Amino acid sequence: MDGAATTRWLIVGVDGTDSSRHALEWAAQQALLRELALRIVVSAGARTPVGAFGAHLPGEPVPPGEADTPGAERLLERAADWVSRLFPELEVQPRLSYARPLDALLAEAAESGAAAVVVGSRGLKGIVAAFVGSVGIELAARSPVPVVIMPHEHAFAHGVRGRVIVGVDGSEPSRRAVGFAFAQAAFAETDLVAVSAWQPLVAFAAATGPIPPELFDDSTAEEAARGSLEEEVDAARLRHPGVRVVQRVVRAHPVVALLEEATPADLIVVGSRGRSGFRGLLLGSVSHSVVHGAKGPVAILR
């Protein structure tokens, strides 16, 4: 069989900002860890990049809608060279696109060899950067593969071994998130922390209407959360028996529980939409809030 046909890769969107540089470096580390190639995607339709790589790229911003092919080519070359210097053994595949950044990344994610897409959470203020927060959010809502979003100011915790933190709520996206989290922890040989958050049922009374008095017992909500957590963890553990798992059942809002547990070194994994997601939103409220509040990478499973 042709070796090129079996190659799998991580995809990373780069626009020259600090946020996309964090995404590039993190994606390169993960690709090397998982023995994947790294595909770097740059959109020529974006304005001339400035920031982490852009300082080395002379040229004036082009008007919206006009392709900046020379600037994009320089950025792509600079990004590929940066990664090759950091990880000389890593296979790098530069890819220049003339599509909108979102469309370019979705097209790459739809190919059979794609394992995941990595982007920065937001670029520069205004419209200078291409891969801004709105692109990451819509990408996470539509991508057929997991999307990892890096924070704007990623504070690497040097000397701290990163864990994998996964949110569990019993939904189908949650089960996919748990499966991905176990696989990631197995590759990285690190601990996995599974978090199931619960809140007193009385907090939902106004929104859902009358609740029978017997359901106001907090132990009912806590036991439901614990049962869901144990069920999902036990199912995934069968496929990855070597992963050490710490289970946490926390009385808190899910966003608070996840953000308080995670450090900047940890990868947080969540489903794109939990049990209470609103269909009118691109992402569920929990995944959206975690992306905006996290200090480290967040993986979203659609």
Side-chain angles (χ1 to χ4, degrees):
M1 182 178 293
D2 184 0
T6 61
T7 299
R8 302 194 70 222
W9 57 85
L10 284 182
I11 301 158
V12 58
V14 173
D15 67 3
T17 64
D18 287 338
S19 185
S20 75
R21 179 175 60 83
H22 297 324
L24 177 64
E25 293 177 357
W26 189 89
Q29 290 177 326
Q30 292 299 310
L32 191 64
L33 179 69
R34 299 176 62 176
E35 299 182 343
L36 302 172
L38 180 69
R39 178 166 291 176
I40 304 173
V41 180
V42 172
S43 171
R47 289 168 174 254
T48 300
V50 296
F53 301 121
H56 304 273
L57 304 174
E60 295 296 324
V62 298
E66 294 184 16
D68 181 17
T69 301
E73 289 176 339
R74 290 194 297 268
L75 172 59
L76 193 58
E77 181 181 0
R78 172 73 180 174
D81 179 67
W82 181 273
V83 168
S84 296
R85 289 173 182 272
L86 292 176
F87 307 98
E89 64 274 43
L90 180 64
E91 179 183 350
V92 179
Q93 303 175 355
R95 183 66 65 92
L96 181 66
S97 175
Y98 288 90
R100 293 187 310 148
L102 173 64
D103 295 333
L105 292 172
L106 285 175
E108 296 289 347
E111 295 191 20
S112 59
V117 184
V118 185
V119 293
S121 63
R122 57 193 174 95
L124 303 176
K125 294 181 179 179
I127 59 174
V128 177
F131 294 100
V132 295
S134 60
V135 171
I137 293 298
E138 188 168 356
L139 180 66
R142 296 173 55 187
S143 172
V145 298
V147 172
V148 179
I149 301 178
M150 300 295 295
H152 178 53
E153 297 179 355
H154 185 211
F156 286 100
H158 297 289
V160 177
R161 188 174 183 82
R163 304 166 300 164
V164 179
I165 315 294
V166 62
V168 180
D169 69 2
S171 66
E172 182 58 29
S174 169
R175 283 187 283 274
R176 295 194 186 105
V178 170
F180 177 84
F182 262 87
Q184 188 69 22
F187 275 116
E189 298 181 347
T190 191
D191 292 348
L192 183 146
V193 181
V195 179
S196 182
W198 65 276
Q199 295 173 275
L201 290 175
V202 67
F204 303 100
T208 61
I211 295 179
E214 62 271 15
L215 293 185
F216 277 89
D217 182 4
D218 286 353
S219 62
T220 301
E222 182 178 5
E223 285 307 310
R226 189 181 307 279
S228 177
L229 176 63
E230 292 176 350
E231 179 182 354
E232 293 193 36
V233 166
D234 288 347
R237 203 198 304 264
L238 295 175
R239 298 187 294 275
H240 302 280
V243 174
R244 180 178 179 270
V245 184
V246 177
Q247 300 184 36
R248 303 222 191 284
V249 179
V250 184
R251 176 177 173 169
H253 189 280
V255 175
V256 174
L258 289 168
L259 294 182
E260 287 191 346
E261 178 65 39
T263 74
D266 298 327
L267 170 68
I268 303 177
V269 184
V270 292
S272 62
R273 190 182 305 280
R275 291 173 300 182
S276 59
F278 294 97
R279 293 189 177 274
L281 300 176
L282 285 175
L283 292 182
S285 59
V286 170
S287 54
H288 193 281
S289 297
V290 168
V291 165
H292 284 281
K295 302 299 183 184
V298 178
I300 302 176
L301 280 289
R302 191 170 69 121

